[in-house]
Amino acid sequence: MGTVGKAIPHDSALGHVTGEALYIDDIPFAKNELIVEFFGSPVAHGKIKSLNLQKARQVEGVAGLYTFQDIPGHNIFGSILADEFFLAEELCEYFGQPIVIIAAENRKAAKQAKKLIQITMDEYPPVLTIEKALEKKQFLGVKREIKRGHLQKALDEADHILEGSFFSNGQEQFYLESQAAIAYPGENNEMTIHSSSQNPSEIQQIVAEGLGIGLHEVVSVCKRMGGAFGGKETQTAIPAFMAALVAFHTKRPARVVYTKDDDMKITGKRHPYQTRYKVAFTRQGKITGLKADFYSNGGAAADLSTAIMERTLLHADNAYFLPNVELSGTVCKTNFPPNTAFRGFGGPQGMAVIENILEEIAIFLKKDAFDLRTLNCYGIEENNITPYGQIVSHSILPTLFENLAESSQYKARYAEVVSFNQRSKTHLRGMAMTPMKFGISFTTKFLNQGNALVNIYKDGTIQVSTGGTEMGQGLNIKIRQIVADEFGIDLENIKLMPTSTEKNNNTSPTAASAGTDLNGMAALDACQKIRKGLVRFASQHFASREEGIFPSPDCIHLENGIVYDERRPEFTLEFKELVMLAYQAQVNLGARGFYKTPGIDFNRETGKGSPFFYFTTGCSVAEVTIDRFTGDLRIERCDLLMDIGESINPGIDIGQLEGGFIQGVGWVTGEELRYQENGELLSFSPTTYKIPNIQDLPRVFNVNTIKNPHHHINVRRSKAVGEPPLMLCLSVWAAVKNALSYVSGNQIPKLNIPASNEEILKRLTQAADSSVPFGSEENEIPLISTLNTKI
Amino acid sequence: MRDYVLLYINGKRHQISGERVFQPLSDFLRYDQEMVGTKVVCAEGDCGACSALLGRAGDGTLNYQVFNTCIAYVFQLDCRHVVTVEGLKGHNGLHPVQQAMIEHFGSQCGYCTPGFVVAMAALFEKRHDLTEQAVRDGLTGNLCRCTGYQAIINATLSIKPDTVETMAERFPALPMLDAFDQHSQSSVLIEYPESIQGKTIMKRSFIPSSVQEAVLLKKQHPDAVLIAGGTDISVQMNKEKIDPQTVIILPDTPELRVLELDQENLKIGAKVRWSELEIFCKDKLPELHKILKVFASDQIKNCATMAGNIANASPIADSLPFLFVVNAEIELTGIQNKRWVEINRFFHGYKNTDIQAEEVITQIRIPLPKPEQFLKLYKVSKRRDLDISTFTAAILVEMVDDQMIKDIRIAYGGVAPVVLRLAKTEAFLKNKTFDLENMRTAGKLAREEIAPISDVRASRDYRLRLSETTLEKFFHEVSQTE
Ligand SMILES: Cc1cc2nc3c(=O)[nH]c(=O)nc-3n(C[C@H](O)[C@H](O)[C@H](O)COP(=O)(O)OP(=O)(O)OC[C@H]3O[C@@H](n4cnc5c(N)ncnc54)[C@H](O)[C@@H]3O)c2cc1C
Ligand code: FES
Ligand code: FES
């Protein structure tokens, strides 16, 4: 009778609904705490000519102003390549890039000081688009490639070839809690920093390096985040450092909380991608060769861009067998804030391209794209090796297609869509089913490790600490469930502690969907160590020479809060009694667990290897209606079917599926980042940046999971679930493209991501107006030249 | 003259004066009262994280509605009772919406959750049964980035309305009503000296008790900002676009609260809130009702007014095209007299109206479309709900024999610095057959009458295109081809 497999509410659900759950800015102010603000670059690209802080310093209530010259350690940091500055020195490379940190007694003074900072700049033309960066040959990291087979031969022998380019725009994470941190200075150089970060170990490191102190002098803590989605994997570094620097200089606690506007303007987002592709296929629609060159808009510094591009290449196949491929990935350096992780981590951009291609082949061959997708899908016994050489093992992809087609009545509804489009003069319908196969593990091998600390107290209650952070995904409750079952006790006896580098060292970011996999396994390892000692002790306790029962740990059971020897089940101890006795008998009641993912490796130079422990897969079918006169898009129905192994907590996991999917829907439909020509973000708040709203939820939304009998690995045979469902959103986008195909005559309609109302109407107009060649595509989102706020 | 705001929070009485009234309620709650359950994300009314319940006196009790505390300044909240997430727990423990959210996995990161539970609680104040659509409508003002909303809908639908303890039951209304009664007789003036860079100015907030007093104050303080619902003004203050020295809160007098239909005219007082009008016009003006369904959110509509929408003079204010085609009239009240201005003559340019320094809008009079007239209203926005328009349109047509256009009025918003009547297009269509070809030609003409720009919401091209296609869409809708 365990807890694993049960839908148990989120660890903090009670705190959430009562408002008692505390986030960074909810922590009561310390008596002498300072407010931290910053002053950022007024241009996207330029050199500081002069900076005058005189007036700002005189504002009553200002406690200090700091520039890069006040940084005692390094001013430079970066997770992969160290190329980013905490504070701009001379060159400013994106709009709003922090230059001066302001510390003040109150918000008013901080704001006032900010207004009084005087700066002059030598302004340079900003490079904002991929196109421009390519022209100027501005790159971050090196170009990566994955190749297999003989592409040229495939192209030469192809029945058909299609080529084109495809643009997907960026996406703002839009976590509700903006970036925030509080630093508490301690004795000597000690610094404790609480931040809303997915990566406390990295915060510890950048704070130590920036302040020029040892990592052992910094404690980095994160209790919970109000959402993160990848946006707090690296992007918390700058705000956390701001607070730390102020605390370091003033010896007073210091708090920084970005406004939503500032957060959206100056933190990195999902990368915009431009891709050129050429695909060879047979008359039947089987893909025989693919060449795809991916270019991402990396922003001004490397951040995680190269790793993200790597994942793009590793997901360019999505669920399809591509015998001959040449993939390349190049990260362009531009004058935007460094783009960064966002749920899917480059995977969505890779998959979007192949899904676009499949939709185009279908339109070209006048076939139902569904048939082409199943035709090209990875097989079970054959056609099951990815371009980088990993076997797609334990797969149930064909079954997913089949089952979902049936449960969603795909064929019948598809026929109805076709006939609707013949009837209606005012609306168009579209429908598409897309699969998703997402590789689980960090592609940087060494990150695939986790450690955990489990302490049992004398009353039988337990504290668990891991390097995993709670951002809403339900990591804490899942780990509690795992620990509870190991000791056969109630969940109430187990507490998940705030993530702290004091308890868990050198931890990886909670990312790559691997939070539960790594930390759950590490916790399990710790539990098993303690359990071993406890069970040995229990076996001695229950043994009886007279009865001929000798100590045998194998016969000890921990269940329902009770401990017994199966040979004498009438003698029992409560778990807490056992713990007390064990304590008195000097048994170790704490342990540290460790886990590293076995058997994975990848050579990024050759583009070969088996980087993933396993794949999470799924399928989704979407039906949409568009208004022919406005481009207005309505999602009528979506059916999702996912293989997530044996769910540790189905309540939590269904939430991940629904939430991830809708987040993806935002990316492919309504979320549109718009910039001014000077590189300043215009859509910097929810007034103009529209994430899905409750009304955008499909009218019919069926979310289901499927059993995968072949999956036997990973913690309690579960599968990672965080990122994968996001990519099912491509069904919605493909359905729009499908809808457009009914009015595009003999041409293949183009469609960018996002398929906003405006984008859709533009494509409809192209369809109606034969003078505009339908494929004509101005690629990247145009930059707005005149700014006019009207309301 | 009283020099404080009387505000109850979760049943507790507060008299707030001086500088403390010059801040959004959300800041007052979080930083003055250390009630941090209420979250602030956007500070501009667009996310709902800061939602609370606003109790106003009416019909001998307090009626509670959801609102955004980030765009309600304390000086607007005199004689109100606010219930925050901290006040939701009732005599029997958690409020049913809180319990349901836990059980249905309605929270993930939890940051939106306090706002959601408050908005959900508001849905049950009347103890009505709810349809799924009603739940969606009621929660339009709350964004969640984690859950995808399904779990929140499930949670809400799982609640039996008759098991809910309403706020009026939870917080005895009588003592508060008494206090409000005693207080609402007197006008309020709250002042505090603010010094910035060595200069001191006196900040003032007036709550007059009559229109006459408001008008006089406006004359005495020519640069004072008048506030009705404050949903436009507060955003500008939060974003530091304006920093008014003096504000005048328009009081809820009976005159300003008029909402009635007399024969052919709908009369709407300047302090009638959008949510009241939405209910009122449901059967009487279904087209307007349709637009109000996608107008902002309940949080906004429970505070904002039509008069504010008009006076704000934005070219993308959703009410304007409608008011333009029905030739609505605006009542302006000055110190000596009242006058009526027809809306088509009310706007002189971008953000420039006919309102004189010592005048306020007191009423809007709307002639209802006649049975032989056909009215259609359109709103195009990036997101269908809770979004500012990209493009708006109103078309009113009168036909002879179902096919000849006798008269047509067309107004477009979002295509120029002011809402436009399309005189040439109208003239072209007059006495023409109502068919697709004529409407298409009219579309080409419409394109020429407007001068849209590209901005953050859309490109000029998109707006030009919409100005054409809308007439086609209208044709199909009127002739009821699918
Ligand atoms: C999140 C959000 C969503 C919104 N969505 C929409 C939308 O969908 N459609 C839309 O059209 N608008 C929208 N708005 C804008 C706004 O809510 C409306 O314009 C609303 O009707 C304004 O009314 P109010 O009473 O709040 O105005 P206030 O903010 O109180 O005032 C607005 C202006 O009008 C003046 N004013 C107010 N009353 C009078 C009067 N009686 N006489 C003279 N001057 C007066 C004020 O001085 C001020 O200049 C939205 C705003 C927000 C914050
Ligand atoms: S904080 Fe977003 S609506 Fe108030
Ligand atoms: S639960 Fe995270 S935003 Fe709603």
Side-chain angles (χ1 to χ4, degrees):
Chain A
M1 276 287 290
T3 61
V4 167
K6 296 215 176 90
I8 296 163
H10 191 280
D11 207 49
S12 299
L14 181 63
H16 292 159
V17 301
T18 56
E20 282 162 24
L22 296 185
Y23 303 79
I24 296 289
D25 196 30
D26 300 337
I27 298 173
F29 280 82
K31 237 203 183 118
N32 56 348
E33 191 170 314
L34 291 168
I35 298 286
V36 179
E37 254 280 1
F38 69 93
F39 172 84
S41 171
V43 302
H45 195 192
K47 256 196 183 131
I48 301 170
K49 268 206 324 221
S50 71
L51 182 66
N52 186 342
L53 308 180
Q54 213 56 35
K55 284 201 173 136
R57 255 187 237 288
Q58 283 159 7
V59 173
E60 201 188 312
V62 166
L65 293 168
Y66 308 96
T67 67
F68 76 96
Q69 284 162 324
D70 301 301
I71 296 176
H74 306 297
N75 182 26
I76 201 157
F77 72 102
S79 306
I80 300 176
L81 310 170
D83 68 343
E84 195 174 346
F85 296 97
F86 290 120
L87 294 175
E89 302 192 343
E90 200 184 11
L91 186 66
C92 293
E93 295 194 285
Y94 62 90
F95 220 101
Q97 183 178 1
I99 298 172
V100 184
I101 299 174
I102 304 159
E105 307 289 341
N106 54 60
R107 278 187 193 80
K108 232 179 191 160
K111 275 188 191 166
Q112 193 56 36
K114 185 171 173 172
K115 281 189 197 140
L116 292 173
I117 290 175
Q118 293 165 320
I119 193 165
T120 56
M121 305 284 301
D122 256 337
E123 207 177 332
Y124 308 143
V127 172
L128 301 173
T129 59
I130 291 167
E131 203 185 315
K132 209 35 185 275
L134 288 175
E135 199 182 296
K136 296 209 136 196
K137 301 202 172 22
Q138 289 188 188
F139 305 114
L140 293 164
V142 298
K143 178 172 171 174
R144 295 287 180 201
E145 290 178 325
I146 293 179
K147 289 185 182 172
R148 162 164 75 187
H150 306 281
L151 180 69
Q152 195 49 52
K153 192 160 171 268
L155 288 168
D156 292 343
E157 292 170 3
D159 290 343
H160 303 290
I161 293 176
L162 281 177
E163 60 186 310
S165 69
F166 180 75
F167 179 72
S168 63
N169 203 358
Q171 185 185 20
E172 160 64 35
Q173 289 85 358
F174 207 85
Y175 33 73
L176 264 70
E177 182 201 22
S178 297
Q179 302 283 355
I182 309 179
Y184 299 95
E187 292 171 22
N188 302 319
N189 281 330
E190 290 160 19
M191 187 66 68
T192 301
I193 178 127
H194 291 249
S195 66
S196 185
S197 165
Q198 292 171 255
N199 201 351
S201 281
E202 188 171 270
I203 298 297
Q204 176 193 30
Q205 183 176 344
I206 62 103
V207 165
E209 289 176 0
L211 297 180
I213 57 180
L215 267 76
H216 66 308
E217 289 169 302
V218 181
V219 176
S220 167
V221 184
C222 174
K223 177 152 175 71
R224 65 165 62 80
M225 283 165 274
F229 317 114
K232 293 173 179 172
E233 188 171 340
T234 58
Q235 300 285 312
T236 314
I238 292 181
F241 184 72
M242 286 181 184
L245 187 73
V246 169
F248 180 85
H249 282 297
T250 60
K251 295 283 170 208
R252 296 167 63 174
R255 169 180 315 217
V256 62
V257 180
Y258 281 5
T259 62
K260 185 63 23 201
D261 297 9
D262 281 346
D263 190 308
M264 289 185 71
K265 282 181 187 170
I266 71 160
T267 65
K269 312 183 189 315
R270 188 189 294 291
H271 294 68
Y273 269 62
Q274 183 72 266
T275 309
R276 299 195 189 121
Y277 60 86
K278 195 171 193 178
V279 62
F281 52 97
T282 66
R283 226 163 273 121
Q284 291 73 34
K286 203 160 173 76
I287 297 176
T288 52
L290 173 69
K291 179 170 167 56
D293 299 310
F294 294 89
Y295 301 92
S296 70
N297 189 328
D303 196 271
L304 299 167
S305 295
T306 49
I308 289 165
M309 180 54 85
E310 187 165 280
R311 189 167 277 272
T312 300
L313 299 187
L314 293 169
H315 287 81
D317 58 339
N318 194 12
Y320 309 109
F321 177 68
L322 307 172
N324 305 292
V325 271
E326 285 183 16
L327 308 170
S328 80
T330 309
V331 182
C332 297
K333 177 172 164 147
T334 60
N335 294 107
F336 284 129
N339 279 324
T340 193
F342 190 164
R343 207 173 192 167
F345 206 76
Q349 293 97 320
M351 290 182 194
V353 168
I354 190 80
E355 293 307 336
N356 176 53
I357 288 172
L358 277 150
E359 215 52 51
E360 300 204 333
I361 296 177
I363 296 169
F364 180 83
L365 294 175
K366 299 198 175 6
K367 290 190 181 213
D368 180 349
F370 172 85
D371 298 326
L372 299 191
R373 289 191 165 99
T374 48
L375 180 70
N376 284 288
C377 181
Y378 278 116
I380 304 294
E381 301 287 336
E382 46 172 27
N383 295 344
N384 63 352
I385 300 178
T386 65
Y388 45 92
Q390 177 158 5
I391 300 174
V392 183
S393 55
H394 310 120
S395 159
I396 53 165
L397 279 165
T399 318
L400 280 167
F401 269 111
E402 225 170 89
N403 287 17
L404 187 61
E406 195 178 313
S407 67
S408 68
Q409 297 145 322
Y410 178 87
K411 286 284 173 188
R413 284 170 54 214
Y414 192 85
E416 175 47 35
V417 165
V418 174
S419 96
F420 175 90
N421 288 337
Q422 284 159 0
R423 287 197 309 272
S424 175
K425 294 193 176 67
T426 56
H427 292 81
L428 278 173
R429 288 246 162 100
M431 197 168 161
M433 188 188 296
T434 60
M436 176 280 308
K437 164 186 125 294
F438 194 72
I440 304 303
S441 293
F442 289 98
T443 54
T444 299
K445 184 182 172 186
F446 67 78
L447 291 176
N448 294 292
Q449 59 173 307
N451 66 66
L453 179 67
V454 176
N455 285 330
I456 305 188
Y457 295 89
K458 287 183 270 184
D459 62 353
T461 61
I462 300 177
Q463 286 186 349
V464 185
S465 310
T466 76
T469 52
E470 176 64 54
M471 59 195 93
Q473 83 281 40
L475 172 70
N476 285 0
I477 184 66
K478 284 183 175 177
I479 292 185
R480 278 173 67 200
Q481 287 173 270
I482 291 168
V483 171
D485 284 12
E486 250 355 79
F487 295 111
I489 56 176
D490 269 358
L491 279 173
E492 285 65 60
N493 298 312
I494 298 150
K495 243 193 157 12
L496 245 285
M497 304 312 288
T499 315
S500 165
T501 56
E502 199 175 1
K503 307 261 182 57
N504 303 96
N505 59 337
N506 312 332
T507 56
S508 299
T510 309
S513 306
T516 308
D517 292 14
L518 299 177
N519 297 293
M521 285 301 261
L524 204 57
D525 182 49
C527 292
Q528 283 164 353
K529 283 180 184 162
I530 304 173
R531 197 176 188 280
K532 211 164 167 189
L534 269 180
V535 165
R536 191 183 309 122
F537 171 74
S539 70
Q540 284 153 4
H541 175 84
F542 289 116
S544 159
R545 282 188 173 277
E546 303 87 79
E547 306 288 329
I549 289 179
F550 294 91
S552 166
D554 289 345
C555 297
I556 301 299
H557 291 255
L558 276 67
E559 283 166 17
N560 302 328
I562 300 289
V563 187
Y564 62 91
D565 187 313
E566 66 188 23
R567 294 163 299 179
R568 300 170 85 198
E570 64 280 20
F571 294 97
T572 61
L573 276 177
E574 279 186 51
F575 180 74
K576 63 178 181 202
E577 291 171 327
L578 172 74
V579 164
M580 184 50 109
L581 292 172
Y583 165 71
Q584 286 162 348
Q586 294 165 301
V587 174
N588 183 1
L589 292 175
R592 184 181 147 100
F594 182 77
Y595 174 74
K596 60 176 183 185
T597 313
I600 53 174
D601 222 334
F602 181 64
N603 182 339
R604 47 178 65 112
E605 307 298 329
T606 60
K608 292 285 174 207
S610 291
F612 302 120
F613 191 34
Y614 60 89
F615 296 101
T616 294
T617 58
C619 245
S620 151
V621 52
E623 184 178 344
V624 303
T625 305
I626 58 189
D627 180 319
R628 293 190 187 212
F629 306 110
T630 60
D632 184 65
L633 171 71
R634 219 173 255 276
I635 305 177
E636 303 291 343
R637 173 171 167 180
C638 291
D639 296 55
L640 275 50
L641 185 61
M642 290 270 300
D643 163 22
I644 52 166
E646 288 177 30
S647 174
I648 291 174
N649 185 326
I652 296 284
D653 285 349
I654 291 290
Q656 289 297 300
L657 302 189
E658 292 169 349
F661 177 76
I662 295 297
Q663 214 171 59
V665 168
W667 174 54
V668 298
T669 64
E671 291 182 36
E672 202 166 13
L673 292 164
R674 280 191 189 239
Y675 296 87
Q676 236 176 308
E677 271 176 343
N678 65 3
E680 192 178 3
L681 181 66
L682 288 177
S683 47
F684 56 77
S685 79
T687 301
T688 48
Y689 186 77
K690 309 312 275 190
I691 70 165
N693 167 288
I694 197 164
Q695 307 271 13
D696 299 317
L697 191 67
R699 289 170 193 192
V700 181
F701 191 31
N702 298 313
V703 178
N704 287 298
T705 57
I706 186 173
K707 276 214 171 345
N708 181 345
H710 316 297
H711 178 72
H712 293 298
I713 52 170
N714 202 34
V715 59
R716 303 292 308 251
R717 295 184 187 173
S718 66
K719 279 192 176 189
V721 62
E723 294 166 285
L726 182 134
M727 284 151 273
L728 295 176
C729 71
L730 290 168
S731 58
V732 172
W733 177 88
V736 177
K737 183 139 173 153
N738 173 251
L740 291 173
S741 73
Y742 295 92
V743 291
S744 65
N746 273 331
Q747 307 193 59
I748 298 175
K750 289 283 161 192
L751 184 67
N752 285 347
I753 287 178
S756 62
N757 298 346
E758 176 170 352
E759 167 77 2
I760 292 171
L761 190 67
K762 185 171 99 189
R763 302 306 182 179
L764 282 168
T765 308
Q766 290 176 351
D769 183 352
S770 49
S771 67
V772 189
F774 205 41
S776 81
E777 38 193 303
E778 69 289 346
N779 290 318
E780 297 174 49
I781 296 276
L783 301 160
I784 311 296
S785 56
T786 43
L787 169 58
N788 198 341
T789 10
K790 290 201 276 184
I791 198 156
Chain B
M1 276 286 187
R2 177 151 55 90
D3 67 351
Y4 62 87
V5 159
L6 176 71
L7 170 63
Y8 284 79
I9 300 174
N10 298 334
K12 187 171 160 221
R13 180 184 169 120
H14 297 262
Q15 291 183 189
I16 313 165
S17 52
E19 187 175 358
R20 293 162 80 220
V21 306
F22 292 83
Q23 61 181 324
L25 178 64
S26 54
D27 283 359
F28 179 77
L29 292 172
R30 291 181 56 81
Y31 303 125
D32 191 302
Q33 296 297 305
E34 299 189 2
M35 294 166 68
V36 293
T38 303
K39 307 295 181 222
V40 174
V41 174
C42 67
E44 56 188 2
D46 260 296
C47 76
C50 65
S51 299
L53 297 175
L54 182 59
R56 296 183 179 100
D59 301 329
T61 180
L62 285 170
N63 304 301
Y64 294 87
Q65 291 183 309
V66 66
F67 77 122
N68 290 321
T69 59
C70 70
I71 51 170
Y73 275 62
V74 175
F75 52 59
Q76 289 174 261
L77 296 171
D78 189 39
C79 295
R80 302 282 188 257
H81 177 212
V82 168
V83 181
T84 69
V85 64
E86 288 91 348
L88 278 192
K89 262 196 224 173
H91 294 104
N92 317 316
L94 290 182
H95 191 287
V97 299
Q98 294 176 310
Q99 191 60 42
M101 282 288 270
I102 295 175
E103 285 164 13
H104 288 84
F105 296 83
S107 72
Q108 288 184 20
C109 81
Y111 213 73
C112 69
T113 315
F116 265 102
V117 292
V118 167
M120 288 161 69
L123 286 174
F124 292 100
E125 277 300 289
K126 296 239 161 71
R127 292 219 179 101
H128 290 160
D129 282 330
L130 295 173
T131 60
E132 179 174 335
Q133 191 53 46
V135 172
R136 292 191 188 214
D137 292 346
L139 301 178
T140 291
N142 296 75
L143 291 179
C144 174
R145 189 54 150 173
C146 297
T147 62
Y149 305 103
Q150 185 65 58
I152 296 171
I153 294 176
N154 297 347
T156 318
L157 288 174
S158 75
I159 294 163
K160 293 194 182 65
D162 53 1
T163 63
V164 175
E165 182 189 28
T166 65
M167 291 306 135
E169 289 164 340
R170 162 130 177 60
F171 296 101
L174 278 185
M176 289 190 266
L177 287 172
D178 280 349
F180 294 162
D181 244 11
Q182 288 160 18
H183 280 75
S184 56
Q185 309 306 323
S186 58
S187 312
V188 182
L189 166 59
I190 301 167
E191 300 182 295
Y192 95 95
E194 187 184 62
S195 45
I196 296 177
Q197 285 184 275
K199 271 189 288 180
T200 302
I201 55 160
M202 197 57 111
K203 287 227 163 192
R204 293 194 185 86
S205 125
F206 288 102
I207 312 177
S209 41
S210 69
V211 173
Q212 268 318 301
E213 200 187 333
V215 173
L216 273 172
L217 284 168
K218 236 191 136 193
K219 188 180 164 80
Q220 285 158 14
H221 304 274
D223 45 8
V225 167
L226 192 68
I227 296 184
T231 60
D232 273 317
I233 287 298
S234 307
V235 173
Q236 294 177 45
M237 293 194 290
N238 285 356
K239 304 284 156 155
E240 296 179 60
K241 295 227 172 81
I242 57 169
D243 184 12
Q245 184 180 346
T246 308
V247 295
I248 304 167
I249 317 295
L250 209 54
D252 279 346
T253 64
E255 177 192 357
L256 297 180
R257 298 273 302 139
V258 163
L259 177 57
E260 61 185 37
L261 187 65
D262 91 41
Q263 289 142 14
E264 286 109 43
N265 290 313
L266 180 58
K267 293 180 178 171
I268 305 166
K271 278 304 294 284
V272 170
R273 302 181 283 269
W274 281 119
S275 51
E276 295 167 317
L277 184 59
E278 185 178 341
I279 295 167
F280 190 80
C281 75
K282 187 164 185 215
D283 304 319
K284 302 173 186 81
L285 254 176
E287 274 298 299
L288 181 62
H289 184 257
K290 181 185 88 184
I291 290 297
L292 292 185
K293 276 261 160 235
V294 290
F295 186 109
S297 60
D298 276 6
Q299 279 91 333
I300 301 285
K301 286 186 278 193
N302 288 334
C303 296
T305 63
M306 183 184 263
N309 199 237
I310 296 170
N312 197 46
S314 158
I316 36 181
D318 281 342
S319 66
L320 294 183
F322 162 68
L323 297 173
F324 270 62
V325 298
V326 294
N327 296 337
E329 288 180 303
I330 317 250
E331 181 189 62
L332 292 166
T333 300
I335 293 175
Q336 304 293 335
N337 59 327
K338 285 179 189 291
R339 63 190 180 106
W340 289 93
V341 184
E342 210 265 317
I343 192 134
N344 286 285
R345 286 191 288 278
F346 184 75
F347 297 99
H348 301 316
Y350 182 64
K351 297 254 169 185
N352 183 358
T353 71
D354 208 48
I355 308 176
Q356 301 304 303
E358 66 289 342
E359 281 179 328
V360 302
I361 299 176
T362 33
Q363 203 183 96
I364 299 114
R365 193 163 66 193
I366 299 174
L368 287 190
K370 299 185 189 64
E372 63 275 19
Q373 290 176 321
F374 202 95
L375 172 73
K376 281 278 174 193
L377 304 180
Y378 300 101
K379 167 172 181 167
V380 178
S381 46
K382 266 197 169 152
R383 188 175 65 198
R384 209 170 305 112
D385 302 87
L386 183 49
D387 196 1
I388 303 292
S389 295
T390 298
F391 171 88
T392 55
I395 306 175
L396 185 76
V397 70
E398 196 178 329
M399 253 145 10
V400 199
D401 302 334
D402 270 357
Q403 49 163 322
M404 185 70 99
I405 300 171
K406 184 171 161 207
D407 190 20
I408 186 162
R409 294 181 214 155
I410 307 169
Y412 282 179
V415 296
V418 287
V419 169
L420 292 182
R421 277 281 296 275
L422 304 189
K424 286 186 194 140
T425 313
E426 290 176 5
F428 166 79
L429 283 171
K430 217 165 165 173
N431 301 324
K432 290 260 169 24
T433 322
F434 185 63
D435 60 22
L436 190 56
E437 208 190 308
N438 279 332
M439 291 311 271
R440 280 193 175 145
T441 315
K444 299 261 182 286
L445 281 175
R447 225 183 135 101
E448 261 142 47
E449 282 194 77
I450 59 173
I453 55 160
S454 291
D455 66 7
V456 60
R457 296 201 167 82
S459 69
R460 174 183 150 83
D461 270 0
Y462 185 48
R463 295 190 166 104
L464 284 171
R465 185 76 197 129
L466 288 168
S467 71
E468 275 191 75
T469 54
T470 298
L471 290 168
E472 246 183 88
K473 187 175 165 72
F474 178 75
F475 170 79
H476 285 290
E477 283 183 351
V478 175
S479 50
Q480 292 183 339
T481 43
E482 189 189 359

